[in-house]
Amino acid sequence: MMVLKRVESVMWGYAKQMPAMKQAELEILASLVDNYRDVLHNFKASGKYKPLSLVALKSREFLVVWVAFCIIHSNVVRLHESEMEGYGVPLDFNDLSHLVLSDPTEWEVVLQI
């Protein structure tokens, strides 16, 4: 669980900064999110999440993936401006309204991203 919280903390920090990243850094970010999801899915499969809300875990996973997508998309547009001209984000901010987030920091991320 500590690993999950640490990755979430990193992602919430990124959401506040929306950092400019190089291609290699974006690949590391994508790998970080993949690893986070693997650890989370193993945690859920172990049954050790029972004291926690499965819906809350899924909501935080969704937010981690959303933040990563937004960071990667903004950097890809910056790095490949001419190729990305005319492409928008195929995500709707309103989709975040259904998330079950108990920490005010998580809602700050929703509003910032």
Side-chain angles (χ1 to χ4, degrees):
M1 190 66 184
M2 295 273 294
V3 171
L4 298 174
K5 287 291 191 185
R6 181 65 187 132
V7 172
E8 291 165 4
S9 177
V10 168
M11 296 305 290
W12 305 165
Y14 281 165
K16 291 176 184 176
Q17 299 170 4
M18 287 301 285
M21 295 181 166
K22 298 177 182 174
Q23 183 69 35
E25 293 170 313
L26 295 174
E27 291 170 11
I28 291 169
L29 177 62
S31 179
L32 175 68
V33 172
D34 288 343
N35 290 336
Y36 169 88
R37 297 184 83 197
D38 288 343
V39 169
L40 178 61
H41 292 171
N42 290 335
F43 178 65
K44 289 188 293 191
S46 75
K48 294 179 182 176
Y49 72 89
K50 297 296 183 193
L52 304 171
S53 164
L54 187 57
V55 174
L57 289 172
K58 288 181 178 182
S59 292
R60 288 199 306 266
E61 176 185 16
F62 188 92
L63 189 54
V64 165
V65 172
W66 185 284
V67 168
F69 175 85
C70 291
I71 291 168
I72 291 170
H73 181 269
S74 69
N75 277 281
V76 167
V77 168
R78 182 182 56 77
L79 293 169
H80 306 283
E81 192 172 332
S82 61
E83 294 92 340
M84 294 298 293
E85 188 175 332
Y87 287 94
V89 176
L91 302 174
D92 184 357
F93 171 79
N94 293 316
D95 291 341
L96 300 177
S97 65
H98 74 279
L99 296 180
V100 176
L101 304 170
S102 57
D103 185 340
T105 304
E106 295 164 346
W107 282 112
E108 288 175 21
V109 170
V110 168
L111 296 174
Q112 290 171 339
I113 200 71

